[in-house]
Structure formats: structure tokens, C-alpha cells
Amino acid sequence: MKINNNTSIQAYTPQVSQQKPKEEGAALPQDGVVLGQSTGESTSVKKWTFMHYAAGDNNLAPYIESDVDEMERIGSDENTNIVALLDLNRGKGAKTYYITQDKTPGLKSEVLENHGLVNTSDPKFLAKFIIDTVKKFPAEHYMLDIGDHGGGWSGAISDDSTGGWMSTPQIRQALDMAQKETGVKLDIVAFDCCLMATGEVANELKDHTNFMVASQESEGGAGWTYNDVLKDKDGNTLAPQRHSYKNLLMSPEVLGDTQEKLRNRITLEPKEFAMKQVDSAGAHQNDLPTMSAFDLSKMGNFNNAAAGLADAILATSTPNATLKGLAGKTQSFSSGKDAFHFAQLIVKDPSISDPKLKEAAQNLMNAVGEVIIHNEHQEPRYANAHGVNLEIPSYGSVSGKYDELAFNKDVPQWKKAMNKMLGK
């Protein structure tokens, strides 16, 4: 999610400098987070528990705060729990809310825990939120949505009070800690963040969630905006703000339909729910030009196909300049390039005569078709967006930080192939 004065799409560069807390004398929880401590447990098992991690200790604070306020337009019911961790800047600190229905401006829901000044980019704190929520609000299905800045495979969640940034491996560590403590593998992890629909991010999460929903491109300033669907039965607007709830999960368009299906005893499975989020995003192209749903059970095939294409690039006699040129023509975003389109350009290039290279590229195209179960892109400039990005540079070299990713450990030849293509 990005903001600026004209709501244009732009890349986000995380700030990693360590700063003192804005509130003088406030203690940080990084070394004092105790996993598994819950404020109480419920024996009522509902169909879904939705966890919203609203990390707003940055310039997104007013938008993220209004997101949680708009969740109250829907509220938890007999089939669904909605729990939100809201962190804000200006020294307000963080609170966990159990969201109940209220159609007036301002948060009215019960505060489950007042955390004070925290570092939401600390993986231990994210893990604690998941653990406490799962233990207190058991359900058949669980979804975690992260709302904040995103930076592709570099990670997400910017905490200005501490200068913190959660890397992609740290996001995995948080999910791993929570899964070990609770025994629960999440059904869906969604990112209300920019640029997170990458093979590198998906591979990092594949053992800790079944489905992932994210955008290949940066989100616009309004992010997940749903004023047009926030209407009551008389047609009155329920949300007064222009920038309404940016998290698709809790919009009336999606969550309201989910709850209605549950009341009618119609089973809404995680795959269907993940795909529905992509469909709903399609109505908001100004701010959400791309959105993808991943089936992470297919990531093994994707990794094998990526490794096969990398091996073929390393072995081919095709000039590096040819491949580098194709990388430059590949559908690009504020970070990363479309994996399917890069492979497709190799298959279609008449100047490439290496059959093994073309076969490997076709295999990657097939693997993308398996792992991406649904994606949307309507603007002509995203005509070649097929749902998943990879690091496919057309200049420079692959960053040394790429070495920290699980994808680089599982497919080490990818970075080597990209650097070879670049003449490194």
C-alpha cells in the first residue's frame, strides 16, 4: 500500500536505520515478547477466524486506522471472529481489538489487550498476535492479513518508531513460531501491501499457509477502497471517509457474502475465499491494478521448473545479450518481473534455437499456471501480468541480500543464471 498526494503508484524503499522511539523513555518489546500468553480462551469453534495485522506506525496510520474502523460495519458474528491488531504512530501504541458491529465513526470494539509502544516489525510480536488469537478464538479456518508497506521479496511491515522492517525470512520465522506453538497451519495469508506476489515470498510461506493473496504491483494511495459497496439497505453510505477499508477480506462485498453463505450452511472453503478476494479487487483498478491467489501446495513444481530454466540458461550457447534483451521486454513492476512472460518470450523468440532452453521455459509457464489459481489485471499496461514475479533484472546484478531467501537455498542456480545473463 502506498500513499502520496495524487495517489499514484510508486515503489517503497524500507528504512532500516535504527531510531529511538518517538515517545521518550518508552520501552520496546523486541527482547521481551512472550509467546503463547493469551488473555483467555474460548471453547466456541466458529467457521472462520480473521486476523488483521494493521501495522500503522508510519505514514499509513490514518488509512490503516480507518480500515479497522470500517471492519466494525461488518463485525464478528456467530460464524466468524474478526480480530485486529492496530498499531499507530504519534505515540499511540498498539491495541488488539475483537471487532463487533458498529456503524458509527470511531472504534467502539472491545480492546482485548493494550500493548503500548511496540515494534510491529519484530517477528516475535507477529507470532504472539497469531498465537493469542488462535488460542482465544478457535475456528475451522484461519486467515492472516498483513496491512502495511510492502517491498517484494525484501519483506514488509515498516515500524517508524524503531526504524524496523520485517524481512521475508522473518515473516516466515513468525509463522513458523506460531505454527509450532499452536499446531495450526494457516489457510490463507494475504498482503494488503505492495509488490508481495513473488515466487520468493510464496516459497518462504509455503510450509505455513495453504493459500496466499497478494499484488504484483504497488497499490495506489487509497489501497483497498470500498465506499461504493459500503451501503445499507436504504442506500445510505455507512463509511464517511473517502479512503474506506483497504483490506479486501473485511469488505462487505467479501466478508458479508461469506457470512451469508455460512448462515445458509453453504461451505465456503479457503480456495474459494482466496479467489473471491481476487475477483473483488478487479473492481478497483485505480488502486489495485493486479491481484493474485496462489496455491502454495504447487510451489514444489514451481521451484523445480525455475531450477530447470536456470540450468538451461547456464548451459545454453544463446548469447547473454539475447536473454538480457528479453528480460528488458518482460512485464515489469515497481519491483520484479513477471515469471510467465519472461519464459514466454524465450519460447517465442525465433532467434533462440536451443530446444532445451525453450522446453525449460515452457515448463516454467506450465508451473505458473498451476500455482496461480486466479489473478486479475485489466489495464492494458499490465496485459502480460500472469500473477507471480521473480527477480529477473535487466541491468546490474542480483543483490547479496537475495542469499538470505529460502528460494535462493532451494533454487540456488536462479541467482547464478540471472547474473550470467547480465554478464556477471
Side-chain angles (χ1 to χ4, degrees):
M1 167 189 320
K2 292 278 110 357
I3 63 170
N4 65 359
N5 291 334
N6 61 6
T7 71
S8 64
I9 294 174
Q10 56 178 295
Y12 175 71
T13 301
Q15 299 297 316
V16 296
S17 61
Q18 295 301 311
Q19 304 172 359
K20 293 182 179 180
K22 292 181 179 178
E23 183 178 355
E24 185 175 356
L28 298 180
Q30 287 171 283
D31 297 325
V33 176
V34 180
L35 302 182
Q37 288 192 342
S38 173
T39 56
E41 298 185 11
S42 171
T43 58
S44 175
V45 178
K46 296 188 179 182
K47 186 73 176 180
W48 279 92
T49 290
F50 302 104
M51 296 171 276
H52 181 59
Y53 195 71
D57 189 354
N58 49 55
N59 60 344
L60 292 175
Y63 304 95
I64 288 180
E65 185 174 21
S66 71
D67 289 349
V68 179
D69 187 18
E70 288 176 16
M71 292 182 200
E72 290 188 334
R73 274 57 172 182
I74 298 300
S76 304
D77 67 6
E78 66 273 20
N79 299 295
T80 57
N81 296 304
I82 304 173
V83 182
L85 183 286
L86 174 62
D87 186 31
L88 296 173
N89 60 7
R90 306 182 300 278
K92 290 187 176 182
K95 296 178 182 179
T96 298
Y97 294 87
Y98 184 76
I99 304 299
T100 51
Q101 189 177 65
D102 179 81
K103 296 183 180 181
T104 61
L107 293 177
K108 307 296 192 302
S109 295
E110 175 190 1
V111 175
L112 297 176
E113 190 170 359
N114 190 337
H115 304 280
L117 184 63
V118 299
N119 178 7
T120 48
S121 67
D122 180 355
K124 289 182 182 178
F125 190 73
L126 174 56
K128 172 179 165 55
F129 169 65
I130 299 170
I131 292 167
D132 288 352
T133 305
V134 168
K135 287 187 174 183
K136 189 173 179 65
F137 303 105
E140 294 179 32
H141 299 295
Y142 297 91
M143 177 169 175
L144 170 70
D145 178 78
I146 297 174
D148 196 14
H149 287 297
W153 60 258
S154 73
I157 307 174
S158 173
D159 190 280
D160 282 2
S161 291
T162 64
W165 175 258
M166 194 180 298
S167 69
T168 299
Q170 286 178 319
I171 296 173
R172 174 184 52 78
Q173 290 166 13
L175 299 183
D176 185 60
M177 285 186 279
Q179 187 170 337
K180 287 179 178 176
E181 176 71 23
T182 63
V184 169
K185 181 178 182 180
L186 300 176
D187 290 279
I188 304 173
V189 171
F191 290 96
D192 185 7
C193 309
C194 296
L195 308 170
M196 300 303 285
T198 78
E200 294 91 352
V201 173
N203 187 67
E204 205 81 36
L205 272 55
K206 70 181 188 305
D207 296 327
H208 303 295
T209 183
N210 297 316
F211 298 95
M212 184 179 90
V213 180
S215 173
Q216 288 181 271
E217 183 57 286
S218 292
E219 296 180 3
W224 298 95
T225 305
Y226 286 91
N227 284 1
D228 57 334
V229 296
L230 291 173
K231 308 286 184 180
D232 63 18
K233 60 184 177 64
D234 298 318
N236 300 314
T237 300
L238 300 179
Q241 298 94 340
R242 154 69 178 92
H243 296 287
S244 68
Y245 178 49
K246 297 184 284 295
N247 181 327
L248 179 60
L249 165 62
M250 300 302 176
S251 72
E253 183 176 271
V254 177
L255 186 57
D257 184 50
T258 300
Q259 292 174 326
E260 185 61 30
K261 283 193 172 188
L262 293 175
R263 290 188 190 97
N264 293 330
R265 300 185 182 276
I266 299 174
T267 301
L268 184 68
E269 295 302 321
K271 180 178 180 179
E272 179 187 0
F273 193 17
M275 295 173 69
K276 180 178 291 294
Q277 294 169 55
V278 175
D279 283 334
S280 296
H284 304 276
Q285 289 296 291
N286 287 339
D287 298 301
L288 304 169
T290 65
M291 193 61 57
S292 309
F294 291 66
D295 179 353
L296 298 189
S297 70
K298 306 298 185 182
M299 280 305 297
N301 293 340
F302 179 89
N303 287 352
N304 290 337
L309 179 55
D311 287 335
I313 291 173
L314 291 170
T316 190
S317 59
T318 302
N320 289 333
T322 298
L323 295 172
K324 181 179 177 180
L326 295 181
K329 296 177 182 178
T330 300
Q331 177 76 64
S332 63
F333 303 90
S334 300
S335 175
K337 292 186 173 70
D338 190 88
F340 182 101
H341 191 221
F342 176 62
Q344 185 180 53
L345 290 175
I346 293 175
V347 170
K348 291 185 174 182
D349 193 317
S351 72
I352 297 178
S353 59
D354 184 344
K356 292 184 178 179
L357 179 60
K358 286 182 177 285
E359 180 183 4
Q362 182 62 58
N363 288 339
L364 181 58
M365 293 166 62
N366 296 341
V368 170
E370 292 179 356
V371 74
I372 300 300
I373 55 175
H374 203 25
N375 80 301
E376 67 88 7
H377 56 281
Q378 298 175 27
E379 294 187 29
R381 60 176 169 156
Y382 298 114
N384 292 301
H386 296 272
V388 56
N389 294 342
L390 275 175
E391 180 72 4
I392 308 173
S394 54
Y395 61 89
S397 60
V398 180
S399 168
K401 292 185 177 180
Y402 202 78
D403 297 348
E404 301 170 5
L405 298 172
F407 184 79
N408 188 63
K409 296 178 176 65
D410 294 337
V411 192
Q413 58 268 65
W414 185 261
K415 178 180 178 180
K416 295 176 183 178
M418 294 300 101
N419 283 335
K420 183 221 177 198
M421 182 178 73
L422 295 167
K424 304 296 180 181

